[in-house]
């Protein structure tokens, strides 16, 4: 099955995107193969794309649970081609980037990730409308009570009284209510367990932290952009031609 996966990777790397990912994220061949084999396992209809139903079924995420909107919102962060023909579906590259991003985050980074999820206008602050959506999707507050909950959160944690919640104020909320991002932590646990496993992700986290520090990049997106700027002198056809199972990584 090793060569079958290699062939699938080669076929998926027509424009060199996976090669850039492999180099940018410092993924050894075995890790990349495992992520792609996970992608293939999720892709039940063998379309070469993964939709939200397939994603949730594989990772045992209940699409009908109280946090179904939150799951959909997180899936949307994987789908970078939201305006294209494949909107609502993930290709292999989108899947890998999304998995690495979510599964390597620490709790403090997950806290910011949640904040950014609901900061829809990218202002760096949550207004009352965005807080109301957060209350409904993350805290499972009844829709008729979300405005009241938003007002209560602003009153309790808006230190500068500007009617908004900043990232620092959000961090204070999280510190006082540790269970606030529990649905995200539980989702992260499931994604890790059914892909590389906890030990596999721990090893990758160590490598990525070192690479981020050495590169001067702040996040994975910058790492990818830095690597993409170099061009793709090779493709997976050449980069994976030599290694055999157990001899790389």
């Amino acid at each position: 099955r090793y060569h079958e996966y290699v062939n699938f990777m080669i076929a998926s790397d027509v424009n060199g995107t996976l090669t850039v990912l492999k180099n940018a994220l410092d993924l050894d061949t075995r890790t990349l193969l495992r992520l792609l084999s996970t992608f293939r396992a999720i892709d039940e209809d063998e379309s070469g794309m993964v939709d939200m139903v397939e994603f949730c079924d594989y990772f045992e995420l209940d699409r009908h649970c109280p946090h179904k909107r939150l799951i959909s919102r997180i899936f949307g962060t994987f789908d970078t081609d939201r305006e294209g023909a494949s909107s609502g579906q993930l290709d292999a590259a989108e899947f890998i980037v999304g998995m690495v991003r979510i599964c390597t985050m620490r709790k403090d980074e997950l806290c910011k990730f949640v904040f950014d999820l609901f900061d829809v206008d990218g202002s760096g602050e949550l207004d009352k409308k965005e807080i109301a959506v957060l209350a409904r999707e993350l805290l499972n507050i009844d829709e008729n009570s979300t405005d009241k909950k938003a007002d209560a959160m602003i009153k309790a944690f808006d230190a500068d009284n500007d009617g908004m919640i900043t990232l620092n104020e959000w961090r204070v909320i999280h510190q006082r209510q540790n269970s606030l991002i529990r649905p995200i932590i539980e989702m992260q646990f499931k994604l890790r367990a059914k892909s590389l496993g906890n030990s596999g992700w721990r090893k990758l986290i160590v490598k990525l932290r070192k690479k981020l520090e050495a590169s001067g990049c702040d996040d994975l997106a910058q790492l990818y952009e830095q690597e993409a700027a170099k061009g793709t002198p090779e493709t997976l056809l050449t980069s994976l031609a030599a290694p055999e199972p157990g001899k790389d990584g």
Side-chain angles (χ1 to χ4, degrees), residues 7 9 50 64-65 74 119 130 155 160 179 191-193 241:
N7 289 335
M9 291 168 71
V50 164
H64 305 291
C65 73
I74 294 173
D119 180 19
E130 290 168 331
K155 182 178 180 180
D160 55 8
S179 63
L191 297 188
R192 284 176 171 177

Side-chain angles (χ1 to χ4, degrees), residues 100-223:
V100 172
R101 184 185 181 203
I102 295 288
C103 292
T104 60
M105 285 185 185
R106 299 174 300 216
K107 284 187 179 180
D108 62 314
E109 293 168 329
L110 284 173
C111 178
K112 182 180 184 302
F113 173 70
V114 172
F115 181 89
D116 292 339
L117 268 182
F118 294 96
D119 180 19
V120 178
D121 60 7
S123 66
E125 298 177 311
L126 300 180
D127 60 26
K128 180 178 175 178
K129 182 178 179 181
E130 290 168 331
I131 296 170
V133 174
L134 180 150
R136 182 175 70 243
E137 296 185 11
L138 183 65
L139 306 180
N140 195 29
I141 302 297
D142 182 84
E143 193 156 357
N144 294 325
S145 304
T146 54
D147 283 347
K148 185 176 180 180
K149 179 64 175 178
D151 287 333
M153 289 177 71
I154 291 171
K155 182 178 180 180
F157 297 104
D158 178 21
D160 55 8
N161 297 311
D162 65 350
M164 313 281 274
I165 295 294
T166 64
L167 177 58
N168 286 337
E169 290 166 344
W170 171 250
R171 291 190 192 280
V172 171
I173 298 174
H174 176 243
Q175 288 170 0
R176 296 185 185 179
Q177 302 178 28
N178 289 328
S179 63
L180 193 63
I181 64 170
R182 183 178 295 166
I184 312 291
I185 293 174
E186 291 175 351
M187 181 176 179
Q188 183 191 61
F189 177 82
K190 289 183 177 182
L191 297 188
R192 284 176 171 177
K194 296 201 70 175
S195 51
L196 301 182
N198 286 327
S199 62
W201 282 111
R202 279 196 298 269
K203 291 177 183 177
L204 183 56
I205 287 169
V206 171
K207 288 175 66 176
L208 281 175
R209 298 291 175 196
K210 289 180 178 178
K211 182 154 188 177
L212 281 169
E213 184 177 344
S215 67
C217 295
D218 295 326
D219 54 32
L220 299 181
Q222 286 187 11
L223 268 181

